[in-house]
Amino acid sequence: MASCAVVQWHPSPGSNKRLSSVTHWWILIGRSNAFDAIDWKLPGRKSEMIILNDDPGIVLGEIPPSTLRLAYLSVGEADRQRGYWASIRGRPFLVEADPNWPDNVRVDIRDSEWQRLLLDQEVPRLLERGFQGLMLDTIDVAPYLEQRDPARFAGMRRALVDLVDELRRDHPAIVLLANGTEALAEVAPFVDGYVVEGLFATYDFGHRDYRPTTQNERGWKLAQIERAQKVARRPVFTIEYASVGDIALGQWAATESADLGFRPYVTVKDINSLP
């Protein structure tokens, strides 16, 4: 496992302050045909932070300037629907499709071509569009591949640390959230907050249904949060999953998360609905 404690990085006071004041937030990263019809001023007024996909139908200029706007960025998986896909199709760093999300392909984070695509192309493009920071997703691909085949994927964790370290050094003032579990502690020195999905309520891909998490699932995720907090204490945001019709599950999960001092948001599996 790569060591996190050797790197002492302190996110900017401004980014820490902005996240510490966030109580109402939401995330919209799934694709939808209805974006053009949305009045972005309305949901923006009710939230201090919004995490958005880079969809051309999302009009950032209509979101109130007081609302923190973060862009979704997948660092451990490539997306076949992204503009960059034509330039990387068939490249050797593409490892395997994500069985739960067929359009997503796990990548070898050690590959310099993938790193340069993210750091020199995707990140500057998102920031130039008007986003004030990023939510880094799929960071857990690094420990997953390294554990699955230690000989083939040795150094994946280290590569993840180096990638996020370089991103932070290139953009010291932006807000960075890390979405994951096992890899949170490793990127902790470089980010301003943590995101954990399905802490109390999740979508079960095997049974194709929403359900509460088990005690074991919950305990393991809480242990990963605790590991990260020992490296760097940061705000924790949870994404809880419940069907539109199961209000009770969503309310219960949000209450349980908030009781632990976390900041929950309840949505559907595809994360494509407004609050």
Side-chain angles (χ1 to χ4, degrees):
M1 179 185 298
S3 172
C4 307
V6 296
V7 182
Q8 297 299 321
W9 179 269
H10 301 286
S12 66
S15 60
N16 276 334
K17 183 178 180 180
R18 294 206 69 173
L19 281 185
S20 65
S21 64
V22 171
T23 56
H24 295 88
W25 70 284
W26 50 276
I27 178 170
L28 181 68
I29 60 174
R31 295 178 178 85
S32 172
N33 295 324
F35 286 165
D36 291 337
I38 294 174
D39 179 0
W40 294 99
K41 301 183 186 69
L42 182 58
R45 281 200 301 268
K46 299 178 180 179
S47 304
E48 295 95 10
M49 181 178 77
I50 304 176
I51 301 170
L52 299 169
N53 208 342
D54 182 35
D55 189 293
I58 297 174
V59 185
L60 288 182
E62 294 184 0
I63 297 172
S66 60
T67 302
L68 179 62
R69 302 178 296 277
L70 303 184
Y72 172 90
L73 181 68
S74 175
V75 300
E77 294 183 351
D79 187 340
R80 301 177 198 269
Q81 302 300 318
R82 292 281 182 172
Y84 59 65
W85 180 254
S87 67
I88 66 171
R89 184 189 294 113
R91 301 301 295 164
F93 59 79
L94 299 174
V95 177
E96 62 187 15
D98 183 330
N100 293 329
W101 303 100
D103 278 339
N104 291 1
V105 181
R106 292 170 180 144
V107 302
D108 185 340
I109 300 175
R110 301 170 301 180
D111 189 275
S112 60
E113 183 180 351
W114 174 250
Q115 293 174 9
R116 294 341 306 170
L117 174 84
L118 295 179
L119 295 173
D120 299 341
Q121 179 178 317
E122 289 300 291
V123 171
R125 182 178 62 79
L126 292 168
L127 297 179
E128 287 169 8
R129 190 180 169 194
F131 288 104
Q132 299 158 302
L134 308 164
M135 184 190 79
L136 308 178
D137 196 23
T138 62
I139 61 174
D140 287 337
V141 168
Y144 164 75
L145 289 177
E146 188 168 290
Q147 291 167 11
R148 197 193 70 181
D149 192 337
R152 179 184 176 190
F153 294 111
M156 287 282 285
R157 291 175 180 267
R158 181 72 253 173
L160 173 66
V161 171
D162 292 342
L163 176 70
V164 182
D165 181 9
E166 183 174 352
L167 169 59
R168 173 52 85 189
R169 292 180 187 279
D170 287 347
H171 305 281
I174 67 172
V175 175
L176 289 180
L177 293 180
N179 179 21
T181 50
E182 191 171 356
L184 284 178
E186 299 179 56
V187 302
F190 317 105
V191 301
D192 305 290
Y194 309 127
V195 180
V196 176
E197 297 182 64
L199 180 58
F200 287 95
T202 190
Y203 181 79
D204 190 321
F205 283 90
H207 293 90
R208 298 184 180 181
D209 198 8
Y210 299 90
R211 62 169 175 81
T213 55
T214 66
Q215 288 286 354
N216 286 341
E217 290 169 335
R218 204 173 304 149
W220 184 81
K221 290 183 179 183
L222 288 171
Q224 306 314 307
I225 295 172
E226 184 177 0
R227 284 182 59 237
Q229 295 285 36
K230 287 180 178 178
V231 177
R233 185 153 295 279
R234 307 282 188 247
V236 177
F237 302 85
T238 70
I239 304 174
E240 307 294 347
Y241 294 104
S243 67
V244 174
D246 195 347
I247 297 175
L249 176 61
Q251 289 181 338
W252 171 80
T255 299
E256 293 293 316
S257 176
D259 285 347
L260 293 178
F262 305 151
R263 299 140 197 233
Y265 176 67
V266 180
T267 186
V268 295
K269 170 184 71 74
D270 291 328
I271 317 182
N272 62 353
S273 63
L274 287 172

